[in-house]
Amino acid sequence: MTLLSSLTFLSGFCFIYYGINCIISKQMKSEFKRFGIPQFRVLTGILQLIGGTGLIVGFFFSPIIAYLAALGLAVLMFMGFITRLKIKDGMLASTPALFFALLNTYLTFLYA
């Protein structure tokens, strides 16, 4: 397994999991209220599902799809990182968002 495939599957499957969780989890519903953006919870989950699926499908069929998915997820996670800092969650709680933002930025460059 190559670095590209490992990182693509890691990110893709994580985002599919988090996307489903974002849509159906009561905990995520309360988290988005705490973030001050409850109206974006379902949209965020759908975007995570599309992005995660796009990474995996793109890996097998079209690097352009993988590139667009990674770019979209990088932007989404940078916005999540900023949101967490804005509500003063601190660096430790914000680290997962930053990690996935940087990971998907790296994937964007690999697929470019």
Side-chain angles (χ1 to χ4, degrees):
M1 190 173 258
T2 66
L3 179 63
L4 177 63
S5 62
S6 297
L7 295 177
T8 298
F9 293 130
L10 170 69
S11 184
F13 287 121
C14 283
F15 276 103
I16 290 171
Y17 171 79
Y18 287 123
I20 292 168
N21 196 36
C22 192
I23 293 169
I24 65 172
S25 167
K26 290 181 182 180
Q27 180 182 352
M28 289 305 293
K29 190 173 185 176
S30 66
E31 280 291 287
F32 272 76
K33 283 182 185 175
R34 187 175 70 84
F35 298 156
I37 52 170
Q39 69 275 20
F40 293 116
R41 179 181 56 87
V42 173
L43 175 62
T44 300
I46 291 169
L47 292 173
Q48 290 176 337
L49 283 169
I50 291 169
T53 303
L55 280 175
I56 294 167
V57 168
F59 176 79
F60 289 110
F61 299 106
S62 172
I64 294 169
I65 292 172
Y67 168 82
L68 293 172
L71 179 62
L73 290 170
V75 170
L76 185 67
M77 294 316 295
F78 275 119
M79 291 171 59
F81 177 67
I82 291 166
T83 298
R84 285 198 170 261
L85 291 180
K86 186 176 177 183
I87 65 165
K88 300 185 184 350
D89 261 1
M91 197 60 185
L92 187 61
S94 305
T95 299
L98 179 61
F99 168 77
F100 279 105
L102 295 173
L103 171 60
N104 282 284
T105 299
Y106 182 64
L107 286 173
T108 300
F109 286 110
L110 291 179
Y111 281 108

